[in-house]
Amino acid sequence: MKKRLFAAFCCVLMAASLFAGCKKEEKKTNTGSVTLAEYEGLRVGASLVEVSQEDIDEQVQYCLEAYGKSEKLEEGTVQEGDTVNIDYVGTIAEGVFEGGSAEAASLEIGSGTFIDGFEDGLVGAKVGDVVTLNLNFGPNYNRTTTVEGSEQEISLLNKDVTFEVTINYITRTKLPEYNDQFVVEYYGDYDLKTTTEFEEYLGQMLRYNLILNEVWADFVEECTVNSYNQAEVDELVTQIVEYYTSLYEQQGVAIEDYLEYMGMTMEEFKEQNVRPAAEDTIKEKMITKQIAKEQGIEVTEEIYQREAKLYMISDGFETIEDLEEYYTKEEIEFSILYDLVTEWIAEHVVIYDDSAEIASNTDAE
């Protein structure tokens, strides 16, 4: 659940999951080993882990949005946050310009996807309306275009433009009502029955996240890797390189060309950038598993189903089986184990009164 409550945390873990999708091997002569630093009784100042009601309210909103249902509206008025399906034609002084027209385009109002004034100009329009927007590309829109019948490049810098926009339909997300019934329906597996209990739980999770931000990275740094499973490291290096190769290909750039531009060979990229990242990922994985072993932490089937359900909903999958086709079950299980272990760490951190330290630092300034 914590992965879905804290976006930054989620991104880190999902990136690790993507890269750490290990293929099972029948035999591993060296699974790697790590010596843990002291992890019980880590200390954090109380001022660093304070959670406000505003923080909790933001998480409540996030949870409501996770269970929102999209509705297609063929009548109604465009509001901020809606996604509209539109046809539009853009015209500059020279005529209809290349790249300025589209049909059945999807645009989220408020996303800032289009130039200033475009999205705001659609707020209040109704389905079926044709809206005329007289705009300007502005001083930072340093692009060029052409118009029909001419190959001459025209700068759009500070260029006036008129868009004729037709509103085809609106897609709006309807959020569930926030009450005790919502808590029981969606978070009853956590033994939560009221909004008060739910917000207390969210506050606790937020506090755990703040605690981990203070202690986890330093703790991992202090742990010592005795040996790596080199086959696992090599496999992860390959996966990361494949990921970046695909990423650059989607942008129309060969990774070899990019590396040449950066003055680096593929081998240098692997050894200087990718391999250290792979080793760091595997180190954290070994640490997580070692703590779980020492403290008897495991992902039971009940816990797996509970957490996987939340991952499924947050990532937009219809079923847990669909989730397991995108990520493997092994990846999901480790992600859940990571959550359980880091939660255990946070629960056992000593929170101390740091007001005297703050006062001393203030006086020193």
Side-chain angles (χ1 to χ4, degrees), residues 320-349:
I320 291 177
E321 288 73 20
D322 292 339
L323 177 73
E324 291 172 344
E325 286 184 9
Y326 191 83
Y327 306 106
T328 68
K329 186 170 183 178
E330 181 184 5
E331 290 168 353
I332 299 167
E333 284 181 342
F334 175 73
S335 185
I336 296 170
L337 183 67
Y338 182 99
D339 282 348
L340 296 177
V341 166
T342 52
E343 182 176 326
W344 189 96
I345 293 290
E347 286 175 344
H348 289 79
V349 164

Side-chain angles (χ1 to χ4, degrees), residues 246-266:
S246 175
L247 190 66
Y248 281 105
E249 282 180 353
Q250 292 171 20
Q251 301 176 37
V253 179
I255 191 170
E256 291 81 5
D257 293 339
Y258 173 75
L259 292 176
E260 182 178 356
Y261 173 76
M262 296 298 294
M264 181 179 291
T265 66
M266 176 61 78

Side-chain angles (χ1 to χ4, degrees), residues 298-362:
E298 60 180 345
V299 180
T300 64
E301 184 61 23
E302 179 182 358
I303 292 174
Y304 178 85
Q305 292 298 323
R306 182 185 72 192
E307 299 295 326
K309 178 182 176 182
L310 288 178
Y311 295 0
M312 171 195 80
I313 293 168
S314 182
D315 281 2
F317 293 101
E318 293 294 327
T319 66
I320 291 177
E321 288 73 20
D322 292 339
L323 177 73
E324 291 172 344
E325 286 184 9
Y326 191 83
Y327 306 106
T328 68
K329 186 170 183 178
E330 181 184 5
E331 290 168 353
I332 299 167
E333 284 181 342
F334 175 73
S335 185
I336 296 170
L337 183 67
Y338 182 99
D339 282 348
L340 296 177
V341 166
T342 52
E343 182 176 326
W344 189 96
I345 293 290
E347 286 175 344
H348 289 79
V349 164
V350 175
I351 308 299
Y352 68 91
D353 182 358
D354 59 349
S355 56
E357 290 181 7
I358 296 172
S360 176
N361 292 335
T362 302

Side-chain angles (χ1 to χ4, degrees), residues 3-295:
K3 282 177 60 182
R4 303 309 170 204
L5 296 181
F6 313 114
F9 202 45
C10 168
C11 290
V12 171
L13 292 184
M14 277 307 179
S17 294
L18 173 66
F19 293 147
C22 311
K23 296 177 182 177
K24 295 180 180 178
E25 300 175 15
E26 292 184 4
K27 292 184 180 180
K28 292 183 179 179
T29 56
N30 173 21
T31 58
S33 68
V34 63
T35 299
L36 300 178
E38 181 58 50
Y39 58 85
E40 294 191 58
L42 299 173
R43 291 166 54 83
V44 174
S47 67
L48 300 174
V49 294
E50 294 176 349
V51 175
S52 68
Q53 185 60 45
E54 182 180 356
D55 296 330
I56 294 172
D57 291 343
E58 288 179 1
Q59 293 304 319
V60 169
Q61 184 65 25
Y62 178 89
C63 293
L64 291 172
E65 291 173 357
Y67 291 97
K69 304 295 183 183
S70 294
E71 296 180 329
K72 181 179 178 180
L73 306 178
E74 297 186 342
E75 59 181 25
T77 303
V78 177
Q79 301 175 6
E80 187 80 12
D82 286 345
T83 297
V84 292
N85 184 280
I86 57 175
D87 302 333
Y88 62 90
V89 177
T91 307
I92 55 178
E94 292 80 358
V96 175
F97 64 98
E98 181 71 23
S101 303
E103 294 183 354
S106 182
L107 172 64
E108 180 183 348
I109 303 300
S111 64
T113 304
F114 281 34
I115 65 172
D116 288 348
F118 192 104
E119 294 167 32
D120 290 342
L122 300 182
V123 174
K126 298 179 180 179
V127 174
D129 283 355
V130 178
V131 182
T132 300
L133 302 174
N134 295 308
L135 306 173
N136 185 284
F137 280 104
N140 299 316
Y141 201 88
N142 193 20
R143 301 182 185 179
T144 61
T145 187
T146 59
V147 296
E148 295 178 2
S150 173
E151 296 182 359
Q152 181 180 356
E153 294 286 333
I154 302 169
S155 172
L156 295 177
L157 201 66
N158 285 316
K159 191 79 170 175
D160 290 332
V161 59
T162 298
F163 287 100
E164 296 289 333
V165 185
T166 302
I167 312 293
N168 298 321
Y169 61 85
I170 300 168
T171 301
R172 183 173 298 158
T173 300
K174 184 178 180 180
L175 302 184
E177 186 177 352
Y178 180 54
N179 51 29
D180 292 348
Q181 182 180 346
F182 167 81
V183 174
V184 171
E185 181 176 354
Y186 295 108
Y187 297 96
D189 289 344
Y190 293 85
D191 294 326
L192 303 173
K193 299 179 177 62
T194 67
T195 56
T196 299
E197 292 176 353
F198 183 53
E199 290 181 27
E200 288 175 352
Y201 180 77
L202 292 179
Q204 182 186 51
M205 293 299 101
L206 281 165
R207 194 161 182 256
Y208 283 169
N209 195 52
L210 292 174
I211 291 170
L212 291 169
N213 286 342
E214 295 297 323
V215 304
W216 181 252
D218 289 341
F219 162 69
V220 170
E221 182 68 24
E222 291 176 5
C223 296
T224 303
V225 175
N226 302 316
S227 63
Y228 286 102
N229 175 354
Q230 287 304 323
E232 185 177 14
V233 173
D234 292 343
E235 182 179 358
L236 189 48
V237 167
T238 299
Q239 291 176 0
I240 295 174
V241 170
E242 289 176 349
Y243 169 78
Y244 279 107
T245 299
S246 175
L247 190 66
Y248 281 105
E249 282 180 353
Q250 292 171 20
Q251 301 176 37
V253 179
I255 191 170
E256 291 81 5
D257 293 339
Y258 173 75
L259 292 176
E260 182 178 356
Y261 173 76
M262 296 298 294
M264 181 179 291
T265 66
M266 176 61 78
E267 193 60 31
E268 289 171 338
F269 174 60
K270 287 181 179 180
E271 296 306 314
Q272 297 176 21
N273 297 84
V274 179
R275 186 170 296 277
E279 289 178 346
D280 286 345
T281 297
I282 292 171
K283 176 183 180 180
E284 194 164 2
K285 190 173 182 179
M286 287 193 292
I287 290 168
T288 300
K289 290 185 174 182
Q290 183 63 30
I291 295 174
K293 181 179 179 181
E294 291 184 4
Q295 300 303 327

